Amino acid sequence: MFVEIDRSFLRSIATENERIPTLYYSDYWLVRKIFWMRLKLIDFHLQHLPIERESCLDFGGGGGVFLPTLSRQFKTVIFLDLEDKEASQVVEKYQLKNVKLIKQDIAEVGFTKASFDVIIAADVLEHFQDLSLPVATIRNWVKKNGFLLTSLPTENFIYAALRKVFGLSKPPDHYHTGSEVESYLKAGGFKQIARTFVPGFWNIFPLFLIGVWQLEES
């Protein structure tokens, strides 16, 4: 079952670093609904994939808002991010005994090859100016029959217009559009096996692209 964390709790632990974006606890119902929909769609795919439930990596997991949901589905969940202050409070509140937090740069982590059944990369890859490091590393870490699930902002004109409506600014480290990241993943040895959109009724001009990937057979 998907766990949508109470917005008053998220507001209480959020800091200025935007590791928990204000969109998760926005006063605007529609904004909250759309932003949570990203993770709900990833969860939907997880429920319908033929996957082992041993190990999951929440790569660039930010504030840890997906951890209560992931911890219900996998024996072990690893959270990897440069900061874990907010995520540690989520883990404590929900008593997530099977979650391990790792505060480290992806380039410095020594996971063995094919460590994970599933890797979640929700709105993180667009933050890498050079995509070669994260894509190659994820390719090394995911099991041969495992899956990568991504959420990627489209940065289309509707996305830009909604930022203006709600008084939001584009993060300076959004280096790539969702389509650009998807193209890089395809060139980097991943095959897209499913693709959905947020919102689901805006398939022509979606705000986010939700992708399910597997390694190409060599």
Side-chain angles (χ1 to χ4, degrees), residues 42 46 55-59 74 115-122 137-143 146-150 190 211 213:
I42 292 177
L46 285 175
S55 57
C56 176
L57 173 66
D58 188 6
F59 168 54
F74 295 92
S115 293
F116 300 100
D117 298 301
V118 171
I119 295 178
I120 307 294
T137 305
I138 289 171
R139 187 175 61 231
N140 184 58
W141 286 348
V142 70
K143 293 181 180 179
F147 294 89
L148 165 68
L149 288 93
T150 57
F190 285 91
W213 308 81

Side-chain angles (χ1 to χ4, degrees), residues 78-96:
I78 305 295
F79 166 97
L80 175 62
D81 204 296
L82 296 174
E83 296 292 340
D84 65 358
K85 180 179 179 181
E86 296 87 355
S88 64
Q89 295 180 76
V90 172
V91 168
E92 181 179 0
K93 177 178 174 61
Y94 287 89
Q95 294 295 294
L96 306 179

Side-chain angles (χ1 to χ4, degrees), residues 23-34:
L23 302 178
Y24 281 119
Y25 55 88
S26 171
D27 291 332
Y28 298 101
W29 174 85
L30 182 60
V31 171
R32 295 198 310 273
K33 185 174 182 62
I34 289 175

Side-chain angles (χ1 to χ4, degrees), residues 106 125 131-140 181 184-185 188-190:
I106 186 175
L125 292 175
L131 286 166
S132 61
L133 171 64
V135 171
T137 305
I138 289 171
R139 187 175 61 231
N140 184 58
V181 176
Y184 198 95
L185 285 168
F190 285 91

Side-chain angles (χ1 to χ4, degrees), residues 23 25 30 46 51 54 59 72 76 84 93 97 99-100 113 140 158 165 167 169 175 180 185 195:
L23 302 178
Y25 55 88
L30 182 60
L46 285 175
I51 55 177
E54 287 293 317
F59 168 54
R72 296 184 176 195
T76 302
D84 65 358
K93 177 178 174 61
K97 304 298 185 183
V99 172
K100 179 180 179 181
K113 184 177 177 63
N140 184 58
I158 293 179
V165 169
S169 300
Y175 297 112
E180 289 169 348
L185 285 168
R195 192 179 194 233

